[in-house]
Amino acid sequence: MSERTQVAIIGAGPAGLLLGQLLHRHGIDAVILEARSREYVEARIRAGVLEQGTMEVLREAGVGERMDKEGLVHGGIYLCFDHTRHHIAMRELTDGRAVMIYGQTEVVKDLIVARLEEGLPLLFECQDVSVHGLNEDDPVVHYRYDGSERELRCDIVAGCDGFHGVCRPTIPEAELTVWSREYPYAWLGILADVAPSTDELIYAYSDRGFALHSMRSLTRSRLYVQVDPEDEIENWSDDRIWSELHQRLASDGWELNDGPVLEKGITPMRSFVAAPMRYRSLLLAGDAAHIVPPTGAKGLNLAVADVTVLADALVTRFTVGSDTGLEEYSDRCLTRVWRAQHFSWFMTTMLHLDRSDDDYGRQLQRSQLRYVTTSTAAARSLSENYVGLTLEQTARATVSR
Ligand code: APR
Ligand code: PHB
């Protein structure tokens, strides 16, 4: 069976789904092909901090209603070290900008509902998706659906299929430059059926390792502890996790409430960038092109920024017939991507315990923590990165590879 569309979108994570939504609002046809089931995609727990610019894009895309009703707006974070908690007043430091606590899973659910309500093509459980015809400028996506072999002819392929997807490996190796870094730690995350013990997120540096107290709602807490990358979830009973959280998050005059653990899992931490983010008619967006460690809460926000730029470029292509936007796409995104890479690395190395590091390294971390919690200039720099630089701020300079 053969079909045709303007944009074949591979992957129904936040990048692919939002791109589909933005294109639809400009009358551009797209088909989204997703390897997993709807249930799987909607159950996958991911990060939960939306930058100011991300909230605005979701509202403009017509999918901000539930986020505005159920999301929690936070104007700052806490940094905790040496048993003392320090508030970083981000809203005051960034001319009123803030973040929204609203799970990526919820963003994905809202985008799926919006797409299906409009009757737009979104195919779950597609098998053996592969991209062909790029060198002939006649792109076609092959896949198997419901037991039959299919092909989707298109003008453009949007590779939104995450870090382990098939799109990036389709690009000839010689055309891509890759930068990456592995970290000597991972995050063990839990979702707990207990009200958060804090009004804003707590990032804690401790001699036992990093911990983070986040949340999903006024009744659900999301918490993380740093573990070794080789560690296994079977080694971590709920009691052991809570005990570590109590010790690492401890600060004078404050109590952590614990409760039933609903979910738990270990996530490795990695930084990764592949450039350029375009090969002929194939454009990569989101985790397909870059990964950050979660400490800066940037993964989802970068995916949203990429597809915002990509949607603009595609609107120019399909309405004006100009490829200028597509030609500039990679450089425009990479400027922001590298800023977020640096910020994520900065937050990660400032807050985690590297067991191979010496005491000199720990003193440097403490000095940096004291600096960002006492200097307005340093706190402002951290804040403007955390709430997210505007697309205009990161679009000014271009990056060369
Ligand atoms: N064919 C079709 N779909 C695929 C394929 C494939 N071969 N391989 C992967 N996928 C799907 C995955 O099942 C997933 O639903 O592509 C989607 C990619 O989604 P994400 O991994 O969520 O990536 P992205 O949309 O770029 O969003 C980035 O997700 O991982 C987090 O921290 C990350 O918050 C960031 C965000
Ligand atoms: C989360 O709530 O899952 C979360 C919050 C902040 C981060 C990372 C993850 O930096």
Side-chain angles (χ1 to χ4, degrees), residues 5-153:
T5 188
Q6 287 174 298
V7 184
I9 300 177
I10 321 281
L17 288 165
L18 179 61
L19 180 63
Q21 178 75 3
L22 294 171
L23 293 179
H24 171 61
R25 291 174 81 83
H26 287 93
I28 297 168
D29 289 335
V31 173
I32 306 183
L33 306 177
E34 165 60 47
R36 304 284 193 163
S37 67
R38 179 177 181 183
E39 294 68 37
Y40 182 93
V41 168
E42 291 191 340
R44 211 163 32 189
I45 300 185
R46 297 278 181 82
V49 178
L50 311 185
E51 291 176 1
Q52 178 80 38
T54 298
M55 298 179 221
E56 287 160 13
V57 170
L58 293 174
R59 283 184 198 123
E60 279 162 29
V63 286
E65 204 178 309
R66 196 162 68 93
M67 169 190 81
D68 279 325
K69 221 181 299 156
E70 298 177 17
L72 307 170
V73 176
H74 284 189
I77 59 166
Y78 297 99
L79 290 177
C80 178
F81 58 101
D82 295 339
H83 295 266
T84 307
R85 188 143 15 115
H86 305 261
H87 189 239
I88 309 279
M90 296 184 166
R91 204 197 300 263
E92 281 97 274
L93 292 164
T94 60
D95 293 330
R97 294 170 74 78
V99 294
M100 173 84 80
I101 307 304
Y102 188 65
Q104 177 172 322
T105 314
E106 306 310 312
V107 174
V108 163
K109 283 186 201 160
D110 295 345
L111 285 162
I112 290 175
V113 167
R115 188 157 186 90
L116 297 180
E117 271 179 358
E118 293 281 344
L120 299 169
L122 164 54
L123 276 60
F124 290 101
E125 298 180 71
C126 295
Q127 293 163 328
D128 301 331
V129 176
S130 57
V131 179
H132 307 269
L134 294 174
N135 291 334
E136 296 75 39
D137 287 327
D138 186 18
V140 54
V141 181
H142 291 181
Y143 63 104
R144 194 143 32 84
Y145 183 72
D146 225 1
S148 70
E149 302 292 334
R150 296 191 177 195
E151 62 171 39
L152 179 62
R153 305 210 151 262

Side-chain angles (χ1 to χ4, degrees), residues 8 14 23 52 64 89 93 110 142 145 153 157 196 198 200 202 213 237 250 267 286 303 316 318 340 365-366:
L23 293 179
Q52 178 80 38
L93 292 164
D110 295 345
H142 291 181
Y145 183 72
R153 305 210 151 262
V157 179
T198 175
E200 293 180 335
I202 307 171
H213 187 335
S237 66
T267 324
T316 307
F318 289 112
Q365 287 177 306
R366 283 208 160 75

Side-chain angles (χ1 to χ4, degrees), residues 259-278:
V261 173
L262 305 173
E263 292 260 357
K264 57 182 170 183
I266 294 182
T267 324
M269 312 222 339
R270 185 189 282 125
S271 298
F272 175 91
V273 181
M277 290 166 62
R278 172 188 182 193

Side-chain angles (χ1 to χ4, degrees), residues 88 144 216 251 284 305 334:
I88 309 279
R144 194 143 32 84
R216 284 292 174 275
S251 68
L284 301 178
L334 285 168

